[in-house]
Amino acid sequence: MSKNKYILILCYVFAFAISGCASKVEFEPLEKQYKLPPASNTLLANYINAQDKSDVTGVKALSDGIDAFVARLAMIESAKESIDLQYYIYRNDDTGKILTLFLYNAAERGVRVRILLDDLTTANHDDGLLAVANHPNISVRLFNPSYERTYRGIAFLSDFGRMNHRMHNKSLTIDNLVSVVGGRNIGNEYFSANENVDFGDLDVLAVGKAVDEVSTQFDIYWNSAQVQSIQQLADPGDINSDLVLLKTKAAEFEATLVNNDYVKRLEQSNLLERLKNQNLDWYWGETHVVYDPPNKLENNPEDRLLLDDLSFFLEQTQHELLIVSPYFVPGDGATNGFINAVKAGKDITIVTNSLAATDVLAVHAGYQQYRQKLVEGGVKVYEVKGNPSDKKSSWKGSSKTSLHAKTFVIDKTKVFVGSFNFDPRSALINTEMGLIIDNADLAADIVNGIAASADDKAYELAMEKGELVWLDHKHDKVIYAEPGAGFWRKFFADFLSLLPIESQL
């Protein structure tokens, strides 16, 4: 037997052994924990109560990365009772460390902090998660975790059916009074702190009726069978019980922020001043929290999926529909539906990433199979440019921008903002959440804002002599090949489009 074949057999045996062990893992049930009543007699509570609109929801759009991070930090700083944080990605970079410091300081004040993360991107972070979770006021739980913490790649392949199912939900709720819901994860690229890439994204800051629904959604996930605590998963011998050391490290990191350039930019945020002065403009209206159940893949007929709510939402379109989605793979059904809507006299506009701007080539490969048919059918398609040379909010002039917002607007009256991408993965595999907001002013502002920046920020797709072309209205020129994308990027996108992977995109 050759050496290579021997190694291959060992790999298969190893993967099988890990798979067998993982399938037999059983945990003691975690303690059920639930949202606390909204805090009262605090500055935040008094401000919200003064609005006297408890039967509706007020939202503030957060499109700027700096403002989106400032809003989160200010919320955490104001917390008196509870913080519930739920994210798909939580990076251990500058923004992740700063946010963790604020969470730690809140816990030191006596605030109950619950951190719920998807486990896919937590590799090599068990020590840090254990250290944080050792604080008596902080709990850390992971969604659909890998039971094998060292050889996670092999474990993923051997238990693909389960571990392919991820929690893509994103929310942060303070004192059951205010929430941030939208498209952003926690990482430098989402908050204009990355020199190489900056994600154009959208969250909404929400107060009022919908906040309690966000908290209910969090509780359902926190107490679900798909979730385990970090203490259950990691090696107990790795637990650092020295709280004095944890406090020392927190203090040392906080001291480094005094001369941090990014922190200085945060301090200059206009939103920070408006938050301090309680001078925010809110869009008020009926708002519904929509989300998938944590056991989405079990296909329980009694469960209502987010896709059901979104389908009903989109079907209400009478005149015009705007879809903003960084990862857009409509499939034949939605593609034909959009074209038929155009034939019925409706205005359908799609905004997604160009090949140069996308951060996931495989998704673009899936999308490019439908875009020509959409354009030929009268659907307006725009692709965001990858060059941010004139982007004012960039960090030292980021070398690349990438759309990451997920927003749908119908008839300039209603808006969906959340984590849902218009692709098969969001629809059928990952769990998602978002808000459906009934406010014509917000809807019109989003549509008008995109229209005003379209020429600068995006290419319009069109047909010329049977071929797809990109119209650069800013420079008044026609481009006949994928703009801004090099040979190898085009090659790999075309290659990936040949593979039968659309259901996973």
Side-chain angles (χ1 to χ4, degrees), residues 339-346:
I339 292 172
N340 290 335
V342 171
K343 291 178 180 178
K346 298 176 184 178

Side-chain angles (χ1 to χ4, degrees), residues 236-258:
D238 292 337
I239 297 178
N240 184 351
S241 59
D242 188 352
L243 283 179
V244 174
L245 179 60
L246 183 61
K247 292 180 180 181
T248 300
K249 288 185 175 181
E252 290 175 350
F253 176 69
E254 191 165 12
T256 67
L257 300 180
V258 175

Side-chain angles (χ1 to χ4, degrees), residues 43 74 267 270-280:
L43 288 175
E267 293 171 345
N270 290 329
L271 180 65
L272 183 59
E273 284 300 314
R274 294 170 68 187
L275 286 169
K276 290 179 180 177
N277 298 326
Q278 298 185 356
N279 183 28
L280 290 181

Side-chain angles (χ1 to χ4, degrees), residues 282-286 412-415 437-444:
W282 299 92
Y283 297 97
W284 293 94
E286 292 290 336
K412 292 184 181 178
T413 59
K414 295 183 180 181
V415 180
I437 306 158
D438 190 347
N439 185 289
D441 291 334
L442 172 63

Side-chain angles (χ1 to χ4, degrees), residues 60-76 87 95 98-99 171-172 178-193 198-206 262 265-266 269-272 275 393:
K60 165 71 178 175
L62 300 172
S63 57
D64 178 80
I66 292 291
D67 286 349
F69 198 57
V70 164
R72 285 166 169 80
L73 297 184
M75 288 168 56
I76 294 171
Y87 283 101
T95 57
I98 292 171
L99 197 72
S171 71
L172 174 64
V178 57
S179 295
V180 173
V181 175
R184 287 184 176 90
N185 294 295
I186 304 302
N188 287 352
E189 61 270 38
Y190 301 96
F191 299 110
S192 301
D198 190 61
F199 281 157
D201 220 320
L202 181 66
D203 300 312
V204 290
L205 182 66
Y262 181 67
R265 293 174 64 212
L266 295 175
S269 165
N270 290 329
L271 180 65
L272 183 59
L275 286 169
S393 64

Side-chain angles (χ1 to χ4, degrees), residues 22-39:
S23 64
K24 297 176 183 177
V25 173
E26 294 184 4
F27 298 101
E28 290 293 325
L30 289 168
E31 176 191 357
K32 300 290 185 181
Q33 295 177 340
Y34 298 95
K35 60 190 175 187
L36 299 178

Side-chain angles (χ1 to χ4, degrees), residues 377-437:
V379 177
K380 298 174 184 176
V381 179
Y382 292 83
E383 293 184 357
V384 172
K385 300 175 181 177
N387 184 351
S389 58
D390 61 344
K391 192 170 71 63
K392 296 179 181 178
S393 64
S394 64
W395 169 263
K396 297 181 181 178
S398 298
S399 62
K400 178 182 175 183
T401 52
S402 183
L403 176 70
H404 197 259
K406 309 99 165 50
T407 307
F408 313 149
V409 184
I410 60 172
D411 296 334
K412 292 184 181 178
T413 59
K414 295 183 180 181
V415 180
F416 167 82
V417 177
S419 66
F420 185 94
N421 293 300
F422 209 102
D423 60 21
R425 174 161 288 276
S426 282
L428 304 172
I429 301 175
N430 290 348
T431 68
E432 309 286 352
M433 72 173 295
L435 303 181
I436 293 177
I437 306 158

